[in-house]
Amino acid sequence: MAETTQDAAAAVAGESTIWKIRTSLRASLYGWIVAIVLAVLLGLLAGPLAAIPIVLALVWTAWRWLTSYELTTERLIIRSGLLVRKREEVELFRVRDFSLSRPLQWMVLGLGTVGLTTRDQSAPNILIGPIAEPDAKLDDLRRATVARQNRVRFREVEVSSAGGDEHHDGHGGHDAGALPG
């Protein structure tokens, strides 16, 4: 009920959903192959123990399936957990960098992982996936992030030193900082 109330409040504020996805079940394929082979071997050798790899594969698949991602015009919402549900939200204007990973075993299945580096202290690094169509999801995420940063007039200023000399930012500090507007 709390999620419904929060979603309704977001809709009133002008926030809209771009996509909702779940971790791909295709990523569990290799685990299921191993579980079936182990179940057959255990069935031949130890009888009733053959069910153990199948039960473990079911739990693992359920755990992965219960992770969902929602991209809105203002934030990324990650819901996860089997016995304890967890909801993590990252405001899009806090996203700093994007990455895409497509290891061979997932590329064969059309899957990949999208990575985010954020300014959010509770979630500085986020991995989304493995998911289908990771290139398209990354492009959507990047466009939504840039649009949100432009709407809130967020700008990040990087200060670098040329030739090894330190340059001060005018306030006594040496670090790069994020400045609004």
Side-chain angles (χ1 to χ4, degrees), residues 8-168:
V12 170
E15 182 176 10
S16 62
T17 298
I18 297 170
W19 46 250
K20 288 183 182 181
I21 58 174
R22 291 191 178 276
T23 302
S24 177
L25 288 180
R26 284 183 274 172
S28 301
L29 176 66
Y30 300 116
W32 275 99
I33 291 171
V34 169
I36 290 169
V37 169
L38 286 175
V40 168
L41 291 175
L42 285 173
L44 294 173
L45 300 174
L49 294 179
I52 293 173
I54 301 299
V55 169
L56 291 176
L58 278 171
V59 170
W60 185 56
T61 302
W63 173 72
R64 292 186 77 95
W65 179 250
L66 288 173
T67 300
S68 66
Y69 308 92
E70 180 179 357
L71 176 64
T72 73
T73 53
E74 296 182 9
R75 58 200 164 138
L76 176 67
I77 304 165
I78 304 166
R79 294 178 180 95
S80 61
L82 184 60
L83 299 176
V84 175
R85 293 295 288 166
K86 179 182 172 188
R87 178 179 168 138
E88 179 72 43
E89 296 185 17
V90 176
E91 294 290 332
L92 290 181
F93 74 86
R94 293 182 174 271
V95 175
R96 297 181 78 172
D97 199 16
F98 307 90
S99 66
L100 177 66
S101 175
R102 297 189 70 180
L104 181 60
Q105 72 270 19
W106 288 347
M107 198 176 344
V108 169
L109 300 173
L111 304 175
T113 302
V114 173
L116 303 175
T117 304
T118 74
R119 292 175 196 83
D120 192 311
Q121 291 183 3
S122 67
N125 297 300
I126 297 172
L127 288 177
I128 302 172
I131 57 173
E133 302 176 0
D135 299 296
K137 300 300 187 244
L138 176 66
D139 290 342
D140 291 344
L141 191 52
R142 187 192 58 75
R143 279 192 295 273
T145 297
V146 170
R148 182 66 179 151
Q149 287 172 340
N150 287 338
R151 277 194 307 278
V152 298
R153 297 184 177 174
F154 183 87
R155 300 289 179 263
E156 183 172 32
V157 177
E158 292 186 22
V159 179
S160 64
S161 58
D165 295 335
E166 287 188 21
H167 294 280
H168 297 277

